[in-house]
Amino acid sequence: MPQPIDSASSLNELLRNRPDKARVLGTVNGWTSAGELVRKAEGLRKGSFALMRGRIVSLLIGEPEQLFVNLLGLDGLAAGILLSDARVEPSVLRDFEHTAAATLRVDSDTVTATEAPENAVDERSATRWIIPTSGTTGAPKLVAHTWASLTRTMKAPTTASAGLRWGLLYDPSRFAGLQVLLQAMIGESEVIVPVDYRDLASAIPLFASMGCNALSATPSLWRKLAIAGLLDRLELRVATLGGESADQRILDVLKRRFPRATIRHIYASTECGVGFSVADGMAGFPVSLFEKPLGGLRLRVRDDGTLLIKLDRMEQRFISGGHLPQDSAGWVDTGDVVERRGDRYYFLGRATGAINVGGQKVHPSVVEQVILAVPGVQAVRVFGKTNPIVGALVAAEIVAEANHDTVAVKDQVIAACRRLLKRHEVPAFVQFSDRIALSATGKIHR
Amino acid sequence: MSQIRSTIEEVFRQVLLESGKQAATHFPDDLVLLESGIDSLGFAIIVTRLEQELGYDPFILMTEAIYPVTFGEFVSIYERYAPAN
């Protein structure tokens, strides 16, 4: 079991505890040591960051070294750090800053005032880490984490973790990316951050040239790396999968390519933090996880198959725009539906029916509305169909009106979907049937 | 050229055209799939179309844990798992 991290209570403390010359951050410009990062952050605190004491600061993720220095500069000084991707749309950024009450914005080495109204300075509370959720439904929400809630399951350094060099393939402004960065710091590992985590053709050669031996990615991204032949460029000791449920094939592909590596799939959400992880090489998770509390966390499956999580200490909260879907006994509804087969539980998908196409979410109702507007369509059901390459594809089952040629209707449905929907939302399968089955509650079966 | 190979080439051409790309006239064995102008979504669509055309999905049938990287590997997986009759 991971040891709780009681020794360090901030990012600054972690880096100050490292030897001055310890390599911490690898970028296209080479390695930067703990001492260099700490000294640069000190410089900022004495200079332009002095006015950030006790305030909530909006930090745009920019160039990797600047990001580290900015995080270190703000950690322990600001009341909150709101993280956003540098490519975030201006209107979304303004909304985030209003919601989080972030009055100052740091973009690379520039500090500006935001449009959020001036508010009370809070110099007493520990820094909160404010992260956008992936927005399963509607607009992203902001979740404020404490250092404890963010690092709850992270492992204290061991001889093995100290030898790890993580590659970052996630957005560092999101929960998963921050987990990789902070786990690398807590584990006294090193981390390689590419200029653009989306650009695999540049990131993977950079990782390979800097000796990356640990990587965390979604199952969709791992499949993409496999098909692009990029797995062959890496020699990994640790491969972790998260963000989506891992299927047996991708776990087997990784085991075959990296026979001696620890391959772990992680269940986590921005709201609850990391739930649990499984390293036995099999899809799903064992029933035995339910029998004992897992580092302050308990699991339960509701009668309808929804996975519920309960944390002994719940420090994170939505800052606005909602609250955790939690019942009076403290159980949080994860929205994930599971099914028990033998002594394991397997993920079936989201309770909302949302389909994950290669990491992009599709809401069936959006596709159904487009299809229903096509002449000749009487009823439609949109659902996900398992696919070995992208996890799932969109499928549509249609009831045509009498006297309509299904071939013509199908062509029009596809044409309308191509015109009005994003590419991953367009059904890859269209089939016709006489009627659409409804569940006992009158809802369409997903 | 085998029947399977020509069906696969035809479906590649269709999907390339649908995504507004120039359809290649020639698909050499060593063509890296993700450098053929088709992304992983396009590739997933190709696998589903081929299941409709050929009647099987070798990725469901196969037990080896591999993903094809080149066009030649892709074709050979389909040839290997073609129904005997």
Side-chain angles (χ1 to χ4, degrees):
Chain A
M1 287 304 295
Q3 295 299 308
I5 312 296
D6 293 327
S7 50
S9 56
S10 72
L11 185 58
N12 267 292
E13 209 177 318
L14 285 171
L15 281 173
R16 282 170 201 278
N17 288 343
R18 300 276 283 267
D20 190 82
K21 290 198 163 49
R23 296 197 308 195
V24 168
L25 171 69
T27 68
V28 284
N29 301 319
W31 290 97
T32 311
S33 69
E36 283 172 79
L37 292 169
V38 167
R39 278 189 291 279
K40 284 184 182 171
E42 268 312 309
L44 282 180
R45 282 165 181 264
K46 287 181 184 142
S48 60
F49 277 23
L51 73 162
M52 293 177 192
R53 183 173 299 279
R55 293 185 183 276
I56 296 169
V57 178
S58 164
L59 175 62
L60 293 188
I61 305 294
E63 182 273 322
E65 191 189 321
Q66 188 77 52
L67 166 67
F68 258 74
V69 171
N70 285 341
L71 281 176
L72 279 172
L74 292 171
D75 173 47
L77 181 81
I81 307 172
L82 164 67
L83 293 163
S84 309
D85 189 278
R87 296 187 196 180
V88 64
E89 284 191 33
S91 62
V92 174
L93 181 61
R94 274 199 301 276
D95 282 353
F96 281 172
E97 287 166 345
H98 263 278
T99 307
T103 48
L104 293 167
R105 184 191 298 166
V106 177
D107 182 0
S108 191
D109 54 0
T110 312
V111 180
T112 51
T114 69
E115 292 170 21
E118 198 54 43
N119 54 40
V121 171
D122 171 10
E123 293 189 23
R124 294 192 314 170
S125 306
T127 305
R128 285 188 175 263
W129 297 68
I130 305 167
I131 316 165
T133 67
S134 53
T136 306
T137 49
K141 297 184 180 99
L142 296 178
V143 178
H145 276 275
T146 64
W147 180 260
S149 68
L150 205 54
T151 60
R152 188 175 52 80
T153 59
M154 292 193 186
K155 297 177 178 66
T158 60
T159 321
S161 77
L164 292 183
R165 252 175 231 157
W166 289 90
L168 184 69
L169 277 184
Y170 285 126
D171 178 349
S173 73
R174 295 301 182 105
F175 185 76
L178 210 50
Q179 288 288 307
V180 173
L181 284 186
L182 297 183
Q183 175 61 69
M185 296 306 105
I186 286 176
E188 296 184 357
S189 322
E190 296 157 13
V191 62
I192 307 163
V193 183
V195 176
D196 182 355
Y197 64 91
R198 300 170 192 85
D199 179 7
L200 297 180
S202 303
I204 300 298
L206 174 72
F207 294 167
S209 71
M210 297 189 97
C212 166
N213 56 19
L215 202 59
S216 183
T218 60
S220 294
L221 199 50
W222 281 116
R223 288 185 206 110
K224 203 166 164 181
L225 292 173
I227 295 163
L230 290 168
L231 287 185
D232 297 338
R233 306 282 297 268
L234 298 167
E235 281 308 328
L236 299 181
R237 284 189 225 165
V238 175
T240 66
L241 303 90
E244 301 161 10
S245 59
D247 65 321
Q248 193 59 51
R249 172 175 299 273
I250 189 62
L251 290 169
D252 290 348
V253 164
L254 292 174
K255 193 74 208 162
R256 181 184 163 121
R257 173 65 192 89
F258 307 112
R260 285 188 298 278
T262 303
I263 296 163
R264 179 178 286 123
H265 51 109
I266 296 175
Y267 179 82
S269 72
T270 307
E271 296 91 337
C272 289
V274 171
F276 50 89
S277 67
V278 179
D280 58 8
M282 294 199 289
F285 55 96
V287 172
S288 61
L289 284 186
F290 287 67
E291 289 158 7
K292 53 181 193 288
L294 296 153
L297 170 138
R298 276 171 291 170
L299 301 172
R300 188 158 75 83
V301 175
R302 209 164 54 196
D303 290 346
D304 65 358
T306 309
L307 180 67
L308 305 177
I309 284 186
K310 188 171 173 178
L311 294 174
D312 292 347
R313 267 173 70 193
M314 197 76 177
E315 292 190 344
Q316 59 269 43
R317 58 187 171 87
F318 277 127
I319 342 196
S320 84
H323 51 85
L324 286 171
Q326 200 171 18
D327 68 15
S328 54
W331 288 95
V332 178
D333 182 338
T334 64
D336 285 313
V337 182
V338 296
E339 179 184 70
R340 183 170 176 168
R341 271 175 255 147
D343 57 359
R344 279 182 100 77
Y345 276 102
Y346 296 88
F347 288 98
L348 294 185
R350 299 286 300 167
T352 59
I355 306 161
N356 186 328
V357 180
Q360 294 178 286
K361 291 198 179 72
V362 177
H363 295 287
S365 58
V366 172
V367 183
E368 284 170 356
Q369 278 164 25
V370 169
I371 296 177
L372 276 174
V374 173
V377 174
Q378 189 186 77
V380 61
R381 174 177 80 107
V382 167
F383 56 99
K385 194 167 186 299
T386 307
N387 177 276
I389 318 288
V390 288
L393 282 172
V394 177
E397 182 188 3
I398 296 174
V399 180
E401 284 173 358
N403 308 323
H404 274 83
D405 172 20
T406 54
V407 176
V409 171
K410 181 177 174 177
D411 287 348
Q412 286 173 40
V413 163
I414 295 291
C417 290
R418 287 212 180 116
R419 196 168 63 245
L420 299 168
L421 296 171
K422 297 194 186 93
R423 202 170 139 243
H424 63 278
E425 295 173 318
V426 176
F429 298 89
V430 176
Q431 64 193 50
F432 286 86
S433 63
D434 296 336
R435 55 189 283 271
I436 305 279
L438 296 181
S439 72
T441 54
K443 290 181 177 164
I444 294 174
H445 279 297
R446 299 292 183 203
Chain B
M1 193 192 303
S2 74
Q3 181 60 42
I4 288 172
R5 188 181 181 107
S6 66
T7 307
I8 292 174
E9 289 194 359
E10 190 46 42
V11 172
F12 265 77
R13 279 192 200 97
Q14 271 174 20
V15 172
L16 276 166
L17 278 176
E18 284 165 14
S19 49
K21 304 252 167 54
Q22 185 75 41
T25 49
H26 179 57
F27 294 90
D29 270 352
D30 59 358
L31 175 69
V32 174
L33 289 168
L34 289 182
E35 288 171 10
S36 63
I38 287 168
D39 61 4
S40 51
L41 178 58
F43 191 24
I45 291 169
I46 287 173
V47 173
T48 67
R49 295 254 177 99
L50 285 170
E51 187 183 1
Q52 286 157 359
E53 296 264 335
L54 300 171
Y56 63 99
D57 177 352
F59 296 97
I60 291 172
L61 302 172
M62 66 200 272
T63 49
E64 309 101 297
I66 49 162
Y67 277 110
V69 173
T70 64
F71 189 77
E73 288 167 15
F74 188 79
V75 172
S76 78
I77 287 171
Y78 274 87
E79 286 173 342
R80 212 164 345 128
Y81 285 91
N85 46 359

